[in-house]
Amino acid sequence: MKFQDHAEGGVTVITLDNPPLNSLGHVLRSRIVAAIEVAEVDPAVRAIVLTGSPRAFSAGADVSEFGTPRQMAEPILRSVLERIRICTKPVVAALDGVALGGGLELALACHARVALGQARVGLPEITLGLIPGSGGTQRLPRLAGIDLALTLMQGGAPMAAAQLASTSLFDRVVDDGLIEAAADVARQLADAGAPWPHADRLNLDAEYVATKVSLARQRLNARQRLQPAYGALLDAIGASAGPIDAGLALERARFLGLIGTTEAQALRYQFKAERDSHRLPDTLQVEPRKVATVAVIGAGTMGAGIAICALDATLDVILLEQDETALARGRQRIADHYAGRVAAGKLGAAVADAAQARLTGTCDWQALARADVVIEAVFEELSVKQDVFRRLDAVARPGAVLATNTSYLDIDAIAAVTSRPQDVLGLHFFSPAQVMKLLEVIRGAHTSPDAMATAMTLGRTLRKVPVLCGNAFGFIGNRIYNAYRRQCEFMLEDGAWPEEVDQALTDFGFAMGPFAVADLSGLDIAWRMRRAQAATRDPRERHVPVLEQLCEQGRLGQKSGAGYYRYADGKRAQTTDDTVHDLIVQASAARGIQRRTLAPQEIQRRALLAMVNEAACLYADGVATRPSDIDVVLVQGYGFPRWQGGPVFWARQQDRERLGADLRCLVEAGGHGMRLADDTMLARLLD
């Protein structure tokens, strides 16, 4: 904590000093109270300015204290805020950087607030399965209005102070001279005399608040209704129209009731897992290569999306296509993306123009010689990708990282056609690449540590969540998803219909069920992969032929108007039709299975068990570096509900003995070729 007497007028500046983000841990909370008390008894001080650093006023609670005695040790944040409220000298918050969660609540409890226009404020607790617990639900509606308060707290995303300048949240929003402006406001308050203005003295229209909260409750989507924090948040916001003490008490009760929920624990776990995912093992902790220019081979949907990611990261991009027509289509995809962002008000025209100015389109392979990283994004077929890497080997500069964007293929088989396998690795982007955050970074047998460090660093530069993977079929995500989808197909043979499986899994919290996902992505993608594997598939393995039979009938999914479901005007039928039912019944009969009804709970558990079993196997094989990486991949790339943590987190909540027994039953029912994660493998994953 730092003190600084302002030049004149008896204003003292208290600066929060807990780098990097001024998290409100117990030590900082104690120091704030002590600093306020020192300033309060100093006769030379008439007013107080509370500020942080250019990076952060305060990013809120210290997450590392969650669940520890320090979290609830006095002074808790509510005590700090009360000490500020009753201070006999006015306290003005001066905001730069971010003021999030408890950091914004600290500012809300001051007698006035001044911010730089670029400062960003928000209450993101909902993203951790919690609600603001130190007055945010009561003071923000009073200061900024119920509509804005609902937006900030339900969405969790921060907003720039400049966007809020017209509200009474801030007394001033300035472009520079933050401390001077805050000191000026503080002197004015001191001159006016007590009582100082405070959010707690403001009142809201009870009928208007009740109407807005009721509408917000009705608009909660299915996934939000599965998370208790959303209902608790609306309960607390609804109380903001009543007496402040009652509202604060209700808020605190709801907050404390959420801390121990599985959903909140899972969200905190996932938050930490994503922060850990980019951390490389000690053997790969080396200096990355410099990257200023990225080349992308292939200007289709995926290639254009990757190029946009690099342009948004202010990198120079070379986009290569085989002919001018294909290149023009790719450039148009990129131009349309930026035009849409500008039209939606999400990007300034100058920023969009600058991004596109960094793009060079070409059909000349020699242009790749100046790229630091080359990312191939062509058709998912080994021979095609090998041809690309042979040509690339001849033109790329020495030391360039050569990356293949592949979902399943063997990185070593691609690297083997080059003279520099140490520079070759996999970068598995997820579609649409400019939206999806997950990036699987795959290490080949010969990939050098500095090439891997470069790829992981590039992932963060592209604002992705990079996860290190070993080179094995399907890597982490598709290998687990393949086991999950396979189990769901087994359940069709056993007696379930596609819509029953999809409904059970969306009820658990998945964004979509597996058969709806298959229709959306196109059944021909899996069909092509299965045909490639057909020659080596053991005939004794259990295989459900329904997907192939649908494709043979031209039912390729949503793009053809029919797959597992039929589609009209882009809308999916609620249930599958007789064609699908007949194929499923025939598959059951061919295997001699007496069909039976599967309860939603059985569907959910079997699907999750399949994921856990495969997760344990691939972790034992060294495909994943950390068990938590598996959960990051499934949550970020495959629609696993974030508030359920991921398959590893879910498994850790289960009774271990029953989990092992159920896995044995699952694998036995799967028949020949199913690999069981034994107790040792399971223990490694879950301990």
Side-chain angles (χ1 to χ4, degrees), residues 28 36 63-64 69 72 109 128 155 192 217 232 262 301 311 315 324 340 444-446 483 569 585 640 652:
L28 183 56
I36 293 291
V63 178
S64 69
M72 303 305 294
L128 293 176
R217 207 179 294 275
T262 300
T301 302
L311 292 171
L315 296 170
E324 291 293 342
H446 303 288
D569 298 325
V585 169
F640 196 103
R652 288 173 175 167

Side-chain angles (χ1 to χ4, degrees), residues 497-521:
W497 302 121
E499 59 267 30
E500 292 173 336
V501 175
D502 282 349
Q503 187 64 55
L505 290 165
T506 54
D507 286 348
F508 177 77
F510 279 90
M512 296 176 69
F515 301 109
V517 168
D519 274 2
L520 181 63
S521 59

Side-chain angles (χ1 to χ4, degrees), residues 30 74 77 107 116 135 166 177 182 204 212 221 256 298 449 482 493 498 558 626 663 678:
S30 300
E74 288 288 352
L77 183 56
L116 288 179
S166 62
L204 295 171
K212 286 293 183 177
N221 62 40
L256 292 174
N482 194 47
E493 279 190 341
Q558 189 171 340
R626 289 169 287 260
L663 287 175
D678 60 26

